[in-house]
Amino acid sequence: MTANPILLQKKYSRVIECFAKQQGLSLDAALDFFYHSQVYQLIRDGVSDMHCMSDAYLAEELRQEYTEKVLKTLETGGIQNF
């Protein structure tokens, strides 16, 4: 199922704002991470009707992905730019 592109853009902005608040990130950092995330790809591609999930649920999915990437970066000792 595909969603209306305008509604998707509004959904993205709400999810990014919620994620930024949860993680204490700037909106720019949250935006950058979001558009490079697996969560964004799933929503964009209409997989499992992810766009139908609540903003809080999607922000939590982003948080989990973010935490995994941060931990992986720390383990490898590298600097990751999201």
Side-chain angles (χ1 to χ4, degrees):
M1 180 177 175
T2 58
N4 180 305
I6 294 170
L7 295 179
L8 268 182
Q9 290 298 318
K10 290 182 179 190
K11 179 84 165 174
Y12 296 158
S13 66
R14 291 191 310 269
V15 171
I16 291 164
E17 185 177 5
C18 184
F19 172 65
K21 285 180 184 176
Q22 282 181 346
Q23 294 304 115
L25 298 172
S26 70
L27 287 175
D28 285 341
L31 179 73
D32 184 48
F33 182 78
F34 176 77
Y35 279 111
H36 292 96
S37 72
Q38 184 68 31
V39 171
Y40 167 68
Q41 291 175 20
L42 293 173
I43 297 169
R44 180 196 64 203
D45 296 341
V47 175
S48 299
D49 288 338
M50 287 286 282
H51 63 279
C52 296
M53 303 298 177
S54 73
D55 299 345
Y57 174 85
L58 294 172
E60 175 61 21
E61 289 292 311
L62 270 179
R63 186 200 61 76
Q64 290 176 14
E65 186 176 339
Y66 181 78
T67 301
E68 288 172 15
K69 286 187 179 182
V70 167
L71 290 176
K72 190 174 190 177
T73 300
L74 291 174
E75 288 172 358
T76 61
I79 297 175
Q80 178 81 22
N81 193 10
F82 302 112

